[in-house]
């Protein structure tokens, strides 16, 4: 009985420590996630067009990604979803090295879509949670913007691999590495409404998705600013009035 009660007491003492540790490092983890996602989007993905080795860097980033997600979120289901997406990415890397490029990039895009949707939920809850607006939470809003672009990029890439005529100007499915890179490029040019015109949606589905992403890209900054100002004003309202 004594040993059981001592173990229960230890568990009760560990939980508050973990919660305090999570509160302390949750905001810095947002910055870490931003750096990881930016490196994957703007360094690793473009290099997949010219080299096979960058695909191996994606599984190597997995432990850091899992640690950051665990710190930001206390939901086990979200962590399991991220782990499932990372496992799919690892399998995609193995398929790519074995010569099955088309299947590997399709699986990689599906894994990216799964992980991005999970990250969107986790990061949005952390960024918009009540509390002090820190530098890291401001960085977290940029992370949300990147995640939205990543989600649409994965959807565009999947569509292009399955229906090669869905876009004009995008690389054919025979070159899946270029599909991933160009889907990311088209997604962010649409999200920012830059619209360079070298890649054009050519059917109703891709046009509709492009319109939706462009609208989100326009409304997102205003929504974020309004939410941040609301949290900031709520913080001021909680302060006691001067005597």
């Amino acid at each position: 009985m004594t040993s059981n009660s001592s173990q229960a007491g230890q568990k009760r003492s560990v939980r508050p420590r973990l919660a305090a540790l999570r509160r302390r490092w949750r905001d810095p983890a947002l910055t870490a996630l931003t750096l990881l996602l930016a490196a994957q989007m703007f360094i690793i993905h473009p290099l997949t067009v010219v080299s096979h080795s960058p695909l191996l860097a994606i599984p190597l980033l997995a432990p850091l990604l899992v640690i950051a997600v665990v710190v930001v979120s206390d939901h086990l289901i979200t962590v399991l979803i991220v782990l499932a997406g990372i496992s799919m990415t690892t399998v995609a890397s193995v398929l790519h090295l074995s010569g099955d490029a088309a299947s590997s990039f399709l699986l990689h895009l599906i894994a990216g879509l799964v992980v991005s949707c999970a990250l969107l939920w986790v990061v949005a809850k952390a960024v918009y949670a009540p509390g002090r607006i820190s530098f890291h939470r401001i960085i977290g809003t940029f992370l949300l913007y990147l995640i939205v672009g990543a989600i649409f990029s994965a959807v565009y890439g999947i569509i292009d691999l399955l229906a090669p005529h869905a876009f004009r100007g995008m690389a054919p499915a025979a070159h899946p590495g270029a599909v991933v890179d160009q889907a990311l490029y088209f997604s962010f040019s649409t999200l920012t409404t830059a619209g360079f015109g070298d890649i054009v949606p050519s059917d109703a589905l891709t046009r509709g998705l492009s319109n939706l992403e462009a609208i989100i890209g326009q409304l997102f900054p205003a929504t974020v600013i309004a939410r941040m100002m609301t949290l900031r004003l709520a913080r001021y309202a909680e302060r006691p009035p001067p005597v």
Side-chain angles (χ1 to χ4, degrees):
M1 291 295 294
T2 304
S3 60
N4 291 336
S5 60
S6 62
Q7 291 177 359
Q10 289 177 356
K11 289 181 179 179
R12 286 194 296 268
S13 63
V14 167
R15 289 178 181 176
R17 292 176 185 175
L18 291 176
L21 187 65
R22 183 176 287 113
R23 286 194 298 269
R24 179 180 178 182
W25 292 103
R26 184 185 66 180
D27 287 358
L30 292 174
T31 300
L33 278 172
T34 304
L35 295 176
L36 286 173
L37 188 59
Q40 184 174 344
M41 284 183 175
F42 306 127
I43 298 176
I44 295 176
H45 276 307
L47 288 177
T48 57
V49 181
V50 296
S51 173
H52 294 175
S53 58
L55 273 180
L56 298 177
I58 298 175
L60 294 177
L61 292 175
L64 296 176
L65 178 62
V66 172
I67 292 172
V69 171
V70 169
V71 173
V72 172
S73 174
D74 57 352
H75 294 286
L76 179 61
I77 295 178
T78 305
V79 177
L80 292 177
I81 291 174
V82 172
L83 287 174
I86 292 172
S87 301
M88 293 169 63
T89 303
T90 304
V91 173
S93 300
V94 174
L95 288 175
H96 183 80
L97 293 176
S98 65
D100 191 357
S103 298
S104 70
F105 276 92
L106 180 59
L107 185 59
H108 174 69
L109 287 167
I110 295 174
L113 181 61
V114 171
V115 173
S116 296
C117 290
L119 286 179
L120 183 67
W121 170 256
V122 168
V123 174
K125 288 189 65 176
V127 170
Y128 294 133
R132 184 175 65 89
I133 305 301
S134 64
F135 167 79
H136 297 292
R137 290 180 69 174
I138 298 298
I139 296 297
T141 61
F142 176 65
L143 175 59
L144 284 175
Y145 199 74
L146 291 180
I147 294 172
V148 171
I151 290 174
F152 278 96
S153 170
V155 173
Y156 294 143
I158 292 170
I159 292 174
D160 189 67
L161 286 175
L162 297 178
H165 301 293
F167 294 91
R168 290 199 305 270
M170 193 174 286
H175 302 81
V179 170
V180 175
D181 179 68
Q182 292 185 26
L184 194 65
Y185 163 76
F186 174 74
S187 177
F188 279 97
S189 64
T190 303
L191 186 65
T192 58
T193 64
F196 298 108
D198 49 346
I199 300 176
V200 181
S202 58
D203 64 17
L205 176 60
T206 52
R207 289 192 189 106
L209 289 172
S210 301
N211 288 335
L212 176 61
E213 186 179 17
I215 292 171
I216 292 175
Q218 290 295 300
L219 294 179
F220 184 86
T223 304
V224 168
I225 292 172
R227 178 58 176 167
M228 289 300 169
M229 288 300 298
T230 301
L231 293 175
R232 187 68 174 176
L233 292 174
R235 186 73 175 176
Y236 280 124
E238 294 174 356
R239 295 181 178 179
V243 180

